[in-house]
Amino acid sequence: MRAFLGLVGANAIFLACGWSLLLALQLIERRPIDLLRSAGLALLAGLGGLCSILILLLCAAVPVTIVTTLIVAIVWVAVALAVPVVRRRRAAGAGDRSTSLPDQSDPLRAPVRRGPERYLTWALGIGIGLFFLSALIQSRHVGLGFDAAHIWVFKGIALFDFSSLPRELLANPALGEASQGYPILQPVFESVLMRVAGEAQTHLVPAELWLLLAAFASSIPFLLGRRARPILYLGPLIVVLPFNGGDILVSDADVTIGLFAGVASLCLAQWLSGEGRGRLVLGALFLTAAANTKDEGYAVAIALLVLTLLIVLVGRDWLRVRWWPVMAGIVLVGALPWKIWVSHNIPYHATPTPPLSTMLNPSYLFHRTSQLPVGVEAIISTITNTDQFMLLAPGLIALAGVCLFTRAERSLAAFYLGATVLIFAALALVYWSSNQTDLTSYIAGNVSRSVSDLMFVAAVGLAHLMTRVAGPAFEAGAP
Amino acid sequence: VADFFVPFSGLVAQVAAIVVAGAVVAILLARWRLSMPVAVALVLAAIMLGLGVSSLWDTLPALDNFKSAALSRPPGVDARQLCFAQEGQQSVIPLETWAAAHMPPNGRYVVATPTPGLDFVCFAQNMLPRILEPTAASADYAVFMNGIPAPFNTEPRSGHLPLAVGHILVYSSSVGVARIN
């Protein structure tokens, strides 16, 4: 019962933060149907944003207790809810009576489609819902997996017990297997769950991870809008949802980073495609959350930031060029405090990869040239495994390639293709620069998890591209 | 160079197959005048919806098997202690449980004589909120798991909690918890 209350209570806090943010960004209105439809996105935004702020406080030596968490959440909600009020007053002062959503042509506002497709969508939606329910029930009473016991839940319990960053544990060389320098967003939200539950209930973690994956599954349709055809975007989502199920059962963080990377890429792609600045803020927030979840998240954040800048510069979109520093600023402010804390408090290198300066050292890389093909081959054989990924990566490459060749949705295709290539390159660099003695075993043990962010971005990219490319043809009466 | 490109051949073949399938669909559905991107998108939607739904449901029994194989807990082992069992260190579990029960929750300890191959992280995780210190100088307690050294071994003074400095509680001839500071 306590576990259930913990799960409900903590997610209620995350939802409140997320909904208020979506209201402030004018992505929803204060209507029950809007709140319901945006619940998944609100949960991800609330959890990612609130936990990033809690990390900032922890790095500033502020004790994070249940009271601190509630105060931060209340201040967040109050500020976010004040934004629409201030906006309305300003508009009234300027004599502007349009106080509702600024862009009524937003696809989120499109009319509901009727017909057989609607029943198919409902059937698929119910099927996906039953899958999550079964998976949630199945994950009760599981033990902790190796990485969870040593890294994620270990730190989560420590944060729950001490309400601050326990330097004795995080800087203890005897505990090197805990990868103490790893980012801590997942341990932070685990500690919030435990605090609300009142005790260190470890089986809350897989339950929360299933909820987050379900939130991701409902975020994509919400962001794509009601004009998007579900039969076009549901395929890639259905393929990507179950592949990391084992990692959820063992309470790892691979799904967490994957879904943040996926939603971030969609928000930024939509911003590049001309949708409002709300998408930019959400994209930056999700990039921050990804960077705060795992080291790979920094690579995702850098890749997407660089790519976004390149696309707006090449497109000479000077308005968006001016907004780019805002996005980069949000990511820097949100993601750097943990790195700074680690560099000041952990006297030795406590992550399984060498420091970035070493990874980018040409001489160091040259002496490990033989490792590059090993890593590349492992990544490619994993992402082309049709039993697991049903052509997600080749599908994205094919569709984006055809789009670029035929000049259809070029910037969108370039963005997603570029994102997957850069994330691929970052992972290949990790294996290339690895100092593991038995590299083959090391890669074999983690490559199927490490491609998580890549596959989530590929799935989201494919879903987005497919709806943008084939949607108008459907509207025109194609099969 | 050739070795480097060999792994890409499977990927190239899959990409080519999708593009060819898209071209075939565009030709077969010529009366709708589908562009290549639309045809490729339709092919991908059909493949992923068709195969993805069955794969979604196949995942549940696979997860159940995984849970039974990798995450089921032996009797008497709780979720947090599974890391000992996974590494064949199940014998550590009663020692750890006993040590945690005989040290206050705010205790700071070192493992003075660890069992061979002890998983320190798993031990530290299970001992929380007691803190594993890097050195004896900053610890209040010493945990002996593999022999009790002098001066504690001369005359074990098993007493009651809280332990006075220099006193030891013993679990067996080689296992004990001593107050050192």
Side-chain angles (χ1 to χ4, degrees), chain A residues 318-376:
Chain A
W318 305 123
L319 181 68
R320 284 190 170 69
V321 169
R322 279 190 304 186
W323 278 96
W324 187 87
V326 174
M327 173 174 63
I330 293 173
V331 178
L332 276 180
V333 169
L336 275 189
W338 170 248
K339 282 287 174 198
I340 294 169
W341 189 90
V342 167
S343 68
H344 281 79
N345 290 280
I346 302 187
Y348 65 104
H349 188 67
T351 63
T353 50
L356 189 63
S357 55
T358 309
M359 287 173 79
L360 297 175
N361 182 339
S363 161
Y364 178 86
L365 290 176
F366 182 75
H367 285 99
R368 283 170 167 71
T369 312
S370 61
Q371 295 188 175
L372 180 60
V374 180
V376 168

Side-chain angles (χ1 to χ4, degrees), chain A residues 47-229:
Chain A
L47 182 143
L50 183 66
C51 291
S52 293
I53 293 175
L54 294 181
I55 291 171
L56 214 133
L57 294 179
L58 284 166
C59 293
V62 176
V64 172
T65 60
I66 185 74
V67 176
T68 324
T69 308
L70 283 173
I71 289 173
V72 173
I74 289 167
V75 171
W76 168 313
V77 171
V79 170
L81 290 182
V83 171
V85 176
V86 172
R87 193 181 288 131
R88 219 172 291 144
R89 281 190 187 157
R90 278 192 185 167
D96 181 1
R97 291 180 184 279
S98 62
T99 53
S100 57
L101 291 171
D103 180 10
Q104 292 298 323
S105 67
D106 190 309
L108 298 178
R109 312 276 117 208
V112 182
R113 184 171 295 107
R114 303 194 182 277
E117 192 185 334
R118 193 181 181 205
Y119 300 114
L120 178 65
T121 308
W122 272 101
L124 287 171
I126 290 169
I128 294 171
L130 286 174
F131 166 78
F132 278 118
L133 194 62
S134 309
L136 198 63
I137 292 167
Q138 204 178 42
S139 62
R140 289 179 310 162
H141 310 306
V142 293
L144 291 177
F146 185 89
D147 280 0
H150 289 75
I151 305 172
W152 311 111
V153 180
F154 172 44
K155 291 179 192 167
I157 297 169
L159 288 170
F160 164 71
D161 282 334
F162 303 116
S163 306
S164 59
L165 293 172
R167 202 179 168 282
E168 300 88 339
L169 296 176
L170 294 177
N172 187 340
L175 302 177
E177 241 181 335
S179 298
Q180 293 117 310
Y182 245 38
I184 55 162
L185 184 132
Q186 180 148 327
V188 167
F189 79 66
E190 289 169 359
S191 69
V192 173
L193 288 167
M194 291 171 192
R195 262 182 221 122
V196 179
E199 59 189 17
Q201 302 235 11
T202 55
H203 58 280
L204 283 171
V205 182
E208 180 67 9
L209 292 175
W210 282 119
L211 285 180
L212 291 183
L213 191 60
F216 165 81
S218 75
S219 296
I220 304 305
F222 175 78
L223 283 167
L224 288 175
R226 299 175 83 168
R227 199 182 294 276
R229 315 290 296 227

Side-chain angles (χ1 to χ4, degrees), chain B residues 23 27 58 74 97 118 120 165-166 178:
Chain B
I27 292 166
D58 290 346
T97 308
L118 175 69
F120 277 94
V165 174

Side-chain angles (χ1 to χ4, degrees), chain B residues 119-145:
Chain B
D119 183 336
F120 277 94
V121 180
C122 185
F123 189 83
Q125 183 251 117
N126 278 281
M127 289 290 282
L128 285 171
R130 297 152 198 90
I131 289 184
L132 176 66
E133 291 284 344
T135 61
S138 52
D140 304 323
Y141 295 86
V143 177
F144 305 110
M145 302 176 74

